[in-house]
Amino acid sequence: MNLEIITPDKKVYAGVVDSVTLPGSNGGFQILKDHAPIVSTLAKGNLVIEANGKKETFVVDGGVVEAAKNKVLVLAESVA
């Protein structure tokens, strides 16, 4: 599935991933291929990407995620 992580300043990440784990406002959750459509707010926390057997972690400071048709868009306030 395709993932994009965008802040007001720049595009932080764009690529094909196997899964993404997000810090939802009501608790963490994971999105996998063929996930049902979802829109959720994000809390401050770790966003973990898994692709090709490797993990990459970003720290997001709130935002929104939308997932549909194997496309995941994260609009984050800031990313470290």
Side-chain angles (χ1 to χ4, degrees), residues 3 19-23 29-31 45-50 54-58:
L3 170 67
S19 72
V20 58
T21 304
L22 301 143
F29 63 97
Q30 185 176 50
I31 297 175
N46 290 338
L47 183 154
V48 181
I49 298 167
E50 291 187 46
K54 297 180 182 177
K55 289 186 180 182
E56 190 172 355
T57 302
F58 298 92

Side-chain angles (χ1 to χ4, degrees), residues 1 5 14 20-21 26-27 31 33 40 44 46-47 49-50 55 59 64 67 75:
M1 80 187 149
I5 303 172
V20 58
T21 304
N26 294 320
I31 297 175
K33 185 179 178 192
S40 177
K44 183 173 184 173
N46 290 338
L47 183 154
I49 298 167
E50 291 187 46
K55 289 186 180 182
V59 178
V64 177
L75 302 173

Side-chain angles (χ1 to χ4, degrees), residues 1-53:
M1 80 187 149
N2 291 309
L3 170 67
E4 280 189 275
I5 303 172
I6 300 172
T7 67
D9 301 333
K10 63 183 175 181
K11 185 181 290 189
V12 176
Y13 183 93
V16 176
V17 300
D18 298 319
S19 72
V20 58
T21 304
L22 301 143
S25 297
N26 294 320
F29 63 97
Q30 185 176 50
I31 297 175
L32 301 169
K33 185 179 178 192
D34 296 326
H35 195 286
I38 185 172
V39 174
S40 177
T41 55
L42 300 175
K44 183 173 184 173
N46 290 338
L47 183 154
V48 181
I49 298 167
E50 291 187 46
N52 300 318

